[in-house]
Amino acid sequence: MARKRIALIGGGQIGGVLAQLIAQKELADVVLFDIVEDFPQGKTLDIAEASRVDGFDVELRGTNEYKDIAGSDLVIVTAGLPRKPGMSRDDLLMTNAKIMKQVAEGVKEFAPNAFVIIISNPLDAMVTLFQKVSGFDSNKVMGQAGVLDSSRFSTFIAWELGVSVKDVNAMVLGGHGDTMVPLIRYANVNGMPVMEMLERKYNDAAKAKEVMDAMVQRTKMAGGEVVKLLKTGSAFYSPASSAIAMAEAILKDEKRVLPTCAQLNGEFNVDGYYVGVPTVLGENGIEKIIEISLNEEEQAAFDNSVNAVKSLVEDMGRLGF
Ligand code: APR
């Protein structure tokens, strides 16, 4: 079997961790692209020089030219700027939309058959723009948000219940913002409902609800919590790990059931927008969107999140993208 190749567009914090994880897992050869001269070359050289001690053998190449991503099976995009003090949401949207448009044009020209996972924020708008500019089939263009948001939710549940995080299954749907929808009713520990476990722990339904509401709130604000602590940037280890789970599912045809920012064409009663939903990821990218029933409260929260995504995409349209 020919070796796989992954191109990483953006060689900053997340891009660097992505390159290291791909190498350590020997998932694929890596091309790390960044506009800053010498920077991606420095990062890939550094990672390659750990190959003997870590015992991996993949090709790692840094570049400032799009032509070097030719032949990539998968592209992961982290190019973009984080919000700086004094910058409005529109300013960030404008700046990153310009970058994403360039990226989509570069990928379209040099890696037209690749699957694409977008991580850059504002996520739902950036995925929408990439798909529009590239014209790639929607099963091939997706965003990473739900895997991370769900992992954060699961981590908080595990800490609260004092159980292994490996046994916690919890999912977050909707847009990648304050309106995201952690699904409380479906959260479970090896099949056992988390709410029931909380009620037994506290022997008090109201207290259990209060504890769950606090975990839901922390999940929604989890990105900001890390930013506040780091002070110099946003989360990068966990977003990188989350995108790798998606990349592995596609390249190894794992048929994993993961929440993905996917284009909806009628599913969940949404038409033409990218929103986080449960999907099956395999060799054809997004192979299936799994529709699940939502109760009234969940549906209202989901609709609210979809509306936030719509207004973000409309804002982007107003800015000329
Ligand atoms: N083309 C390619 N790369 C670019 C471009 C461009 N036009 N413009 C900027 N970059 C590069 C920067 O040079 C930088 O190395 O994108 C990289 C971004 O890296 P960081 O600033 O370290 O950001 P990171 O923490 O990796 O996050 C990247 O993911 O989670 C989101 O909100 C986050 O949008 C941000 C993105």
Side-chain angles (χ1 to χ4, degrees), residues 61-249:
R61 176 169 187 187
T63 184
N64 306 110
E65 292 186 72
Y66 272 106
K67 67 175 174 52
D68 293 330
I69 71 167
S72 296
D73 301 284
L74 179 78
V75 174
I76 306 178
V77 184
T78 61
L81 301 188
R83 191 169 351 181
K84 298 214 174 69
M87 227 174 163
S88 73
R89 186 160 153 270
D90 274 5
D91 291 340
L92 181 72
L93 194 56
M94 184 75 161
T95 308
N96 283 355
K98 270 189 203 154
I99 292 173
M100 194 53 64
K101 188 162 179 280
Q102 282 174 9
V103 172
E105 285 162 354
V107 173
K108 184 181 181 182
E109 183 172 356
F110 293 102
N113 298 316
F115 292 95
V116 181
I117 301 171
I118 309 285
I119 305 182
S120 312
N121 276 317
L123 194 265
D124 308 280
M126 293 302 107
V127 188
T128 304
L129 182 61
F130 187 102
Q131 196 277 330
K132 185 175 148 191
V133 174
S134 67
F136 285 10
D137 291 344
S138 61
N139 64 307
K140 298 189 105 174
V141 180
M142 65 203 84
Q144 187 298 115
V147 175
L148 171 56
D149 297 329
S150 303
S151 179
R152 284 170 166 160
F153 190 30
S154 301
T155 304
F156 302 146
I157 291 169
W159 287 342
E160 167 59 33
L161 291 174
V163 300
S164 169
V165 71
K166 291 182 185 175
D167 294 320
V168 179
N169 292 297
M171 200 164 47
V172 179
L173 305 185
H176 187 49
D178 305 351
T179 61
M180 67 178 75
V181 188
L183 289 181
I184 298 168
R185 202 163 49 98
Y186 287 102
N188 69 81
V189 178
N190 266 352
M192 297 174 283
V194 169
M195 272 322 290
E196 188 183 325
M197 293 177 78
L198 283 173
E199 281 162 17
R200 283 174 189 273
K201 176 177 170 180
Y202 291 103
N203 201 16
D204 178 348
K207 174 68 182 165
K209 185 175 178 310
E210 193 183 298
V211 169
M212 174 51 89
D213 287 348
M215 290 194 288
V216 164
Q217 195 55 22
R218 188 173 181 190
T219 301
K220 291 182 181 181
M221 299 299 160
E225 186 181 354
V226 174
V227 169
K228 210 166 150 207
L229 291 166
L230 291 181
K231 297 185 181 72
T232 53
S234 46
F236 55 100
Y237 295 111
S238 53
S241 293
S242 303
I244 291 298
M246 297 170 73
E248 267 191 295

